[in-house]
């Protein structure tokens, strides 16, 4: 696998630290390492992540989700000042939608 761009979505706790008997690690770092090891020729990715609150984007739900976007290094390096991985998951905040009817 070596997609030009990927988007990953999961629960907000995915960004948390995970404690095991062998130590503490960040789930996001494990995912980034897995992406690197699965990629052909160990191609690198510029990766950004954030928590998205649905109610801030015209969705009448209190749901929060973790999003991660990655852009292959050979592509992101050609875009000068634009951080494409951040741009992919950047959403304009809107006035919160009332959850009551």
């Amino acid at each position: 696998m070596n997609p030009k761009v990927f988007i990953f979505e999961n629960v907000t706790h995915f960004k948390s630290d995970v404690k095991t008997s062998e130590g503490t690690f960040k789930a996001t770092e494990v995912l980034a390492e897995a992406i690197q090891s699965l990629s052909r020729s160990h191609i690198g990715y510029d990766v950004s992540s954030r928590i998205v609150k649905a109610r801030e984007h015209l969705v009448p739900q209190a749901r929060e989700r973790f999003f991660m976007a990655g852009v292959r290094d050979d592509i992101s390096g050609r875009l000068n000042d634009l951080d494409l991985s951040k741009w992919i998951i950047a959403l304009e905040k809107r006035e919160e939608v009332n959850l009551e009817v």
Side-chain angles (χ1 to χ4, degrees):
M1 294 188 318
N2 66 346
K4 293 178 182 177
V5 176
F6 72 85
I7 297 177
F8 174 84
E9 175 265 342
N10 208 318
V11 297
T12 57
H13 299 299
F14 188 81
K15 196 169 183 172
S16 303
D17 290 343
V18 177
K19 295 179 182 178
T20 68
S21 59
E22 297 169 359
T24 302
F25 61 91
K26 293 190 178 300
T28 54
E29 291 174 2
V30 172
L31 176 61
E33 289 174 17
I35 290 166
Q36 294 289 20
S37 67
L38 291 173
S39 298
R40 282 189 260 151
S41 304
H42 298 285
I43 295 169
Y45 287 85
D46 175 33
V47 177
S48 295
S49 62
R50 69 177 283 222
I51 302 296
V52 174
K53 298 176 182 178
R55 66 183 174 274
E56 295 176 344
H57 304 287
L58 302 177
V59 178
Q61 294 182 354
R63 181 180 302 241
E64 295 181 1
R65 302 297 284 181
F66 170 82
F67 279 83
M68 175 185 279
V71 179
R72 223 171 49 203
D73 285 344
D74 62 324
I75 295 169
S76 64
R78 291 189 240 152
L79 298 172
N80 298 334
D81 297 333
L82 179 63
D83 187 338
L84 191 55
S85 66
K86 284 186 180 178
W87 178 82
I88 290 170
I89 56 176
L91 298 170
E92 181 181 338
K93 286 188 179 181
R94 305 292 181 118
E95 187 174 331
E96 290 187 12
V97 176
N98 188 347
L99 301 178
E100 297 177 16
V101 180

